[in-house]
Amino acid sequence: MGKILILHGPNLNLLGIREPETYGRITLTEINHQLQKMAEHHRVNIEILQSNHEGDLLDAIHRAFHDTDVIIINPGAFTHYSYALRDAIAGVNIPTIEVHLSNVYAREAFRSHSVIAPVAAGQISGFGEQGYYAAFELAMGMIERKMDEWDVKKD
Ligand code: DQA
């Protein structure tokens, strides 16, 4: 049984009321509920945290070092300038999937640059909440492959 850490950065607690033309009307509670259901179905542990504070996200990434196989993160605006978040992800060396609800490349120029992307396994951008669910499936694939490798090593 593996573990996935799901992190939502600043302002994502406002989903549902925040710029619905860009982010849709779904709330973070609804997204998290769906992710919980997927985790139960796949029998994988998940921890979900939303924070508006950079340090809280850093602490969660540091804690993950001990027990987490994959991190899924929507860093919100931190995406574009938080070297601290980038260094934390690089530091724990846990495969990380970067998710954005909106297509960051189709918006203001400053959103086209992610300081997280170079240390992420990959990025999903522009598919709304479906991006989180796709990231979850990708994370499951990573965990299953890791377990297969362990089995091969044991044989
Ligand atoms: C976002 C895109 C960011 O540019 C923005 O600051 C957010 C949300 C997204 O999910 O599309 O807060 O990460």
Side-chain angles (χ1 to χ4, degrees):
M1 206 186 203
K3 179 170 172 190
I4 301 172
L5 173 65
I6 300 173
L7 295 175
H8 306 287
N11 298 310
L12 291 163
N13 54 313
L14 293 180
L15 283 185
I17 52 172
R18 175 192 186 195
E19 303 174 78
E21 62 291 349
T22 303
Y23 297 115
R25 297 218 173 261
I26 194 161
T27 65
L28 195 61
T29 307
E30 288 166 332
I31 293 174
N32 288 342
H33 182 70
Q34 178 62 24
L35 290 166
Q36 294 279 7
K37 278 202 331 206
M38 292 173 81
E40 277 162 34
H41 177 76
H42 286 278
R43 295 177 194 282
V44 69
N45 291 313
I46 56 167
E47 179 186 335
I48 304 178
L49 174 79
Q50 187 277 327
S51 181
N52 296 318
H53 307 279
E54 195 177 15
D56 287 347
L57 299 168
L58 296 177
D59 289 343
I61 293 167
H62 295 175
R63 280 196 304 274
F65 177 71
H66 300 288
D67 65 353
T68 298
D69 298 288
V70 182
I71 298 172
I72 295 171
I73 184 168
N74 182 345
F78 289 148
T79 305
H80 314 300
Y81 65 89
S82 177
Y83 297 125
L85 214 47
R86 172 200 171 117
D87 284 352
I89 291 166
V92 295
N93 199 22
I94 297 169
T96 297
I97 304 173
E98 180 184 341
V99 173
H100 299 286
L101 293 148
S102 64
N103 178 355
V104 286
Y105 301 98
R107 301 181 60 195
E108 300 96 322
F110 76 87
R111 295 188 203 276
S112 293
H113 183 63
S114 167
V115 300
I116 307 297
V119 295
Q123 187 195 60
I124 299 171
S125 175
F127 295 96
E129 69 272 20
Q130 296 299 325
Y132 283 105
Y133 311 147
F136 181 91
E137 295 295 348
L138 289 165
M140 281 313 304
M142 288 171 170
I143 291 171
E144 277 156 18
R145 277 199 300 280
K146 196 166 147 185
M147 283 176 176
D148 286 350
E149 277 169 31
W150 269 100
D151 285 344
V152 171
K153 276 189 200 143
K154 272 190 279 162
D155 291 342

